[in-house]
Amino acid sequence: MTWGLEQVKVTYRSVRALDGVDIPVEAGRVTVLVGGDGAGKSTAAKTLVGLVEPVSGRVRRPEKRQVGYQSEHSGVWFDLTVWENLRFVAQAYGIPQPDSRIDHLIEVTGLGSARHRLAGRLSGGMRQKLGVAMALLPQPRLLVLDEPTTGLDPVSRTDLWMLVAGAAAEGTAVLLTTTYTDEAERGSVVVALDQGRVLAAGTVEDLVSRVPGRIVQTDRPDALAYRWRRGSRWRGWLPDGHPPPEASVVPPDLADVLIVAALLRRADASAA
């Protein structure tokens, strides 16, 4: 089963937040929606779960009780404890005898020591983990997580990805949004958004293999027309021709792929 958005347009007043996007989300796979602030990631997530109504296009999702959703702001109730938040979600979904699953999710998210603490007194990272646990509680067919790793340390981020991968392995269709390209590389499928439009989509391997030209690395960027900083060095894109003597050709990663795709889109827009 494939859920998702088909040629969806969303407008906020006069601003086109999504412009005819296709975002398929397949059962048993983790689809990662990546992009910068304002790219349309949260709008796409909200549209998929039914919180935003599109101007046009088609939204495919299971019925409401089979959708798990964590908003970009964790979605927890600050005046309830960790356990009470999960119990409230269980009641809303009509889950019979949920205590054992609640206990399991509290433990696997590392919230055992905070189960009786008010959510408003949790750290930002702990609230994010609670939000993910709440989304996972009903064992949904479609799981939508909006920037769930914000504020998490590397160990907690790895733990969360294990939960997400486990849900996909059980057949759940997962859509996860992020601003981090290194995190997006963990997904089965990557969909990059830029200004409300799909910039690139596919597996990481496919996207990397389709990069035109060559990516180079250098300490002297002046000879490169297209360049960006990567740590203490510079990366560059050569659409054609030979690299300058001081530059070395390097295999592209997802960050390089998306930068080149953005450069090509801007070039096309300028030529139009």
Side-chain angles (χ1 to χ4, degrees):
M1 176 61 69
T2 300
W3 314 109
L5 309 182
E6 299 174 1
Q7 286 295 297
V8 164
K9 295 183 179 180
V10 173
T11 301
Y12 294 134
R13 296 179 182 175
S14 60
V15 177
R16 182 66 57 84
L18 295 177
D19 190 5
V21 299
D22 290 305
I23 305 175
V25 186
E26 296 183 28
R29 306 184 80 179
V30 180
T31 300
V32 179
L33 194 57
V34 63
D37 293 338
K41 303 186 303 299
S42 291
T43 298
K46 291 174 182 176
T47 304
L48 182 55
V49 300
L51 295 177
V52 170
E53 189 69 25
V55 173
S56 62
R58 184 183 183 190
V59 181
R60 293 174 54 85
R61 60 174 174 267
E63 62 99 7
K64 189 174 182 180
R65 291 182 182 275
Q66 295 177 331
V67 176
Y69 172 61
Q70 181 232 349
S71 75
E72 58 186 319
H73 302 299
S74 75
V76 307
W77 289 278
F78 280 30
D79 55 349
L80 299 179
T81 66
V82 168
W83 188 88
E84 289 169 343
N85 266 279
L86 288 161
R87 183 70 187 188
F88 184 76
V89 171
Q91 291 174 341
Y93 277 88
I95 300 172
Q97 300 180 332
D99 288 2
S100 61
R101 178 151 178 81
I102 289 174
D103 290 341
H104 169 71
L105 287 170
I106 286 175
E107 291 306 315
V108 297
T109 52
L111 294 171
S113 62
R115 64 183 296 131
H116 299 302
R117 191 182 308 170
L118 290 175
R121 295 181 180 176
L122 299 174
S123 67
M126 294 178 79
R127 280 197 295 271
Q128 288 295 102
K129 289 194 283 187
L130 175 57
V132 171
M134 292 161 61
L136 285 166
L137 183 61
Q139 297 178 289
R141 297 180 68 189
L142 172 64
L143 176 65
V144 181
L145 304 174
D146 196 359
E147 299 196 32
T149 61
T150 299
L152 296 186
D153 60 81
V155 173
S156 296
R157 184 173 294 182
T158 298
D159 291 342
L160 183 144
W161 267 97
M162 290 178 64
L163 288 173
V164 171
E170 293 175 358
T172 300
V174 181
L175 178 72
L176 183 148
T177 78
T178 183
T179 60
Y180 306 115
T181 54
D182 60 333
E183 187 163 77
E185 289 177 338
R186 302 182 186 219
S188 307
V189 176
V190 176
V191 179
L193 284 185
D194 179 48
Q195 299 179 344
R197 299 172 65 192
V198 174
L199 184 64
T203 66
V204 174
E205 293 78 11
D206 287 343
L207 292 174
V208 167
S209 70
R210 297 201 302 263
V211 175
R214 287 179 286 185
I215 302 297
V216 298
Q217 184 169 273
T218 182
D219 294 319
R220 299 178 60 188
D222 295 344
L224 300 172
Y226 304 103
R227 59 186 183 269
W228 54 94
R229 184 176 288 279
R230 178 72 67 86
S232 62
R233 306 197 70 188
W234 289 81
R235 306 274 271 208
W237 175 51
L238 295 175
D240 49 37
H242 297 287
E246 65 275 10
S248 58
V249 176
V250 295
D253 58 19
L254 184 60
D256 298 322
V257 169
L258 300 187
I259 290 170
V260 171
L263 290 171
L264 289 169
R265 173 165 290 178
R266 283 158 178 72
D268 290 342
S270 298

